[in-house]
Amino acid sequence: MLKRALAAVALSTLPSVLTVAPAQADPLPVFCAPATVVDNVCTARLTSVTADVINGTITGAPVGGGAPVTLAGQLDAYQKSTGFSAPLPDAIHQWDTNIDNVNSLSVDPSDPGWYGNAKSRVFMPRTLNDLAVQFPPDVLVVRFTPDDAAPGTFRLVSIQPTAP
């Protein structure tokens, strides 16, 4: 009798478990005017950023105003700097050097160091986010899109220090 009661409860709750709504991505922020959006990707220059090492995100406010946005992305979104004259500011020079160094790491399974190299590549965005906090104002250009997997966070398409 108890087994039947438990089975009935389990079957009655099953439809509510199966009908959980999928996560919905946040719409692009208001400051993403039509001129800055192509294929649902917004481009913005950020005044400055803060980094969250735990979550691997950065948060920054756009130049010209608007609500801050929280962004996260994989290493392939991180681009070397452009438009700066020599000598580069220290944090930007380190950004470029880190990208060069990690891109040269082999993740081929026949390489004895492949696992450590792969970890370096996976965690490099957190290191680069920490460097971005040190950039001069108004140099970080980001391209981002809504992210269904992480409501409240936008997915980086690219992030690049760019001279104003």
Side-chain angles (χ1 to χ4, degrees), residues 18 22 26 32-33 40 42 44 46 49 56 59 68 71 84 115 122-123 135 146:
L18 294 177
D26 295 334
C32 291
N40 206 31
C42 178
L46 302 179
V49 297
T59 301
L71 309 161
F84 292 93
Y115 183 75
V122 167
F123 288 105
F135 288 172

Side-chain angles (χ1 to χ4, degrees), residues 32-92:
C32 291
T36 64
V37 177
V38 176
D39 293 332
N40 206 31
V41 174
C42 178
T43 301
R45 186 178 288 269
L46 302 179
T47 57
S48 62
V49 297
T50 58
D52 180 338
V53 179
I54 303 296
N55 294 316
T57 61
I58 59 169
T59 301
V63 170
V69 291
T70 300
L71 309 161
Q74 301 298 318
L75 181 60
D76 61 349
Y78 290 76
Q79 306 296 310
K80 290 177 60 174
S81 67
T82 186
F84 292 93
S85 57
L88 292 174
D90 288 341
I92 293 174

Side-chain angles (χ1 to χ4, degrees), residues 4-163:
R4 282 188 182 165
L6 289 175
V9 169
L11 286 175
S12 67
T13 59
L14 187 59
S16 64
V17 171
L18 294 177
T19 60
V20 172
Q24 289 287 0
D26 295 334
L28 288 173
V30 174
F31 68 80
C32 291
T36 64
V37 177
V38 176
D39 293 332
N40 206 31
V41 174
C42 178
T43 301
R45 186 178 288 269
L46 302 179
T47 57
S48 62
V49 297
T50 58
D52 180 338
V53 179
I54 303 296
N55 294 316
T57 61
I58 59 169
T59 301
V63 170
V69 291
T70 300
L71 309 161
Q74 301 298 318
L75 181 60
D76 61 349
Y78 290 76
Q79 306 296 310
K80 290 177 60 174
S81 67
T82 186
F84 292 93
S85 57
L88 292 174
D90 288 341
I92 293 174
H93 172 72
Q94 189 61 48
W95 170 283
D96 288 349
T97 301
N98 285 354
I99 290 173
D100 283 340
N101 290 342
V102 79
N103 282 339
S104 67
L105 295 175
S106 170
V107 292
D108 185 321
S110 65
D111 182 332
W114 76 269
Y115 183 75
N117 292 346
K119 281 178 56 177
S120 293
R121 291 180 60 83
V122 167
F123 288 105
M124 183 53 66
R126 293 169 194 248
T127 301
L128 295 172
N129 290 346
D130 282 343
L131 286 171
V133 170
Q134 303 171 35
F135 288 172
D138 305 345
V139 302
L140 199 58
V141 175
V142 294
R143 294 179 57 239
F144 60 93
T145 190
D147 189 348
D148 288 333
T153 301
F154 294 94
R155 183 176 49 84
L156 281 168
V157 173
S158 69
I159 178 170
Q160 182 176 43
T162 305

